[in-house]
């Protein structure tokens, strides 16, 4: 009938990704924490505290335009993807370069970055970054895979090679390339099922699954 809680954001930029975070003893019992991403950067929100307001994760507002956010609940790793801002005049900037839909569908990308953050205490700390071929117009999805190797893996699409790229965390070292049957990728999800891990890759009209044995 009505919202349980409502909170005003730091900016008017629409939220494009939202994750519910695992329990955090540092913020007290009964407090629920949510992580969001918009083009302005990353915010975490505490619901159930006397002082309720979103907090901007340090160094996420000056990386460029945030276009994707992946969260690993078992490791508390997050990886945000950014594309560069396009300066037009004075202090004005636009978050989208002038690309047509057909350009994006053809696999055209821009040089952006993936940035790794780790939850430490009540906040997040930037651990590292790597260059990446990201979409110049779309808001792609990415995922974090746990239990397949010694460290968690970050999975994202490469807009130039039309591949899924798996990178070790927190180093972001590339460990594998997967070739989807179709591109561009709309969404990526990972799930553990019995003794296997399933990575799903959703395109415009198909769903492709990649399977692996868990370690």
């Amino acid at each position: 009938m009505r919202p349980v809680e409502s909170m005003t954001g730091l900016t008017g930029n629409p939220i494009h990704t939202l994750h519910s975070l695992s329990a955090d003893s540092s913020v007290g019992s009964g407090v629920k924490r949510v992580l969001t991403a918009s083009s302005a950067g990353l915010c975490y929100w505490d619901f159930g505290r006397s002082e309720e307001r979103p907090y901007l994760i340090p160094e996420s507002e000056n990386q460029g335009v945030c276009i994707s956010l992946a969260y690993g609940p078992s490791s508390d790793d997050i990886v945000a993807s950014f594309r560069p801002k396009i300066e037009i005049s004075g202090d004005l900037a636009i978050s989208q370069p002038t690309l047509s839909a057909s350009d994006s569908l053809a696999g055209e990308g821009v040089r952006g970055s993936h940035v790794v953050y780790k939850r430490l205490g009540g906040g997040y700390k930037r651990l590292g970054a790597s260059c990446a071929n990201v979409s110049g117009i779309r808001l792609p999805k990415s995922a974090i895979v746990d239990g397949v190797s010694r460290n968690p893996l970050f999975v994202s699409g490469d807009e130039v090679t039309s591949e899924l790229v798996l990178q070790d965390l927190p180093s972001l070292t590339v460990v594998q390339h997967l070739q989807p049957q179709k591109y561009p990728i709309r969404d990526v999800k990972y799930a553990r099922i019995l003794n296997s891990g399933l990575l799903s890759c959703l395109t415009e009209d198909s769903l492709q699954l990649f399977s692996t044995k868990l370690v």
Side-chain angles (χ1 to χ4, degrees):
M1 296 294 292
R2 63 181 186 274
V4 176
E5 289 194 55
S6 180
M7 192 183 301
T8 302
L10 295 176
T11 72
N13 300 74
I15 291 172
H16 58 69
T17 309
L18 183 149
H19 292 287
S20 175
L21 301 183
S22 56
D24 185 354
S25 59
S26 67
V27 297
S29 60
V31 177
K32 306 298 183 183
R33 178 162 282 185
V34 171
L35 178 69
T36 65
S38 70
S39 60
L42 310 178
C43 284
Y44 56 90
W45 312 59
D46 290 338
F47 292 91
R49 301 181 70 172
S50 57
E51 296 182 5
E52 297 178 345
R53 65 183 182 90
Y55 298 86
L56 190 67
I57 292 180
E59 298 185 65
S60 70
E61 78 282 6
N62 56 7
Q63 298 292 326
V65 179
C66 180
I67 58 174
S68 182
L69 175 65
Y71 168 61
S74 63
S75 61
D76 264 337
D77 291 309
I78 60 174
V79 182
S81 301
F82 298 87
R83 63 171 164 244
K85 289 182 180 179
I86 306 300
E87 305 294 336
I88 50 177
S89 63
D91 295 329
L92 298 178
I94 58 174
S95 64
Q96 306 278 12
T98 307
L99 293 177
S100 68
S102 59
D103 289 334
S104 180
L105 291 175
E108 296 294 331
V110 296
R111 200 63 169 165
S113 63
H114 300 313
V115 182
V116 184
Y117 300 87
K118 184 82 171 181
R119 186 159 71 175
L120 299 172
Y124 279 89
K125 180 181 179 180
R126 184 181 184 272
L127 295 186
S130 70
C131 294
N133 299 316
V134 301
S135 174
I137 193 170
R138 293 182 293 105
L139 298 175
K141 298 297 182 181
S142 54
I144 291 178
V145 172
D146 289 315
V148 173
S149 62
R150 183 172 58 87
N151 294 327
L153 299 175
F154 171 64
V155 185
S156 63
D158 187 302
E159 293 292 325
V160 172
T161 64
S162 300
E163 296 175 318
L164 276 177
V165 181
L166 280 67
Q167 296 172 265
D168 182 83
L169 293 179
S171 67
L172 288 173
T173 302
V174 175
V175 297
Q176 190 175 2
H177 297 266
L178 298 175
Q179 188 64 57
Q181 294 178 350
K182 294 187 177 182
Y183 210 86
I185 296 167
R186 300 303 186 189
D187 203 354
V188 179
K189 288 283 193 275
Y190 173 74
R192 298 168 66 112
I193 300 177
L194 298 178
N195 294 323
S196 296
L198 285 180
L199 181 66
S200 60
C201 176
L202 181 69
T203 61
E204 187 70 26
D205 58 359
S206 66
L207 176 67
Q208 187 174 2
L209 300 177
F210 299 92
S211 177
T212 185
K213 290 291 184 182
L214 298 177
V215 295

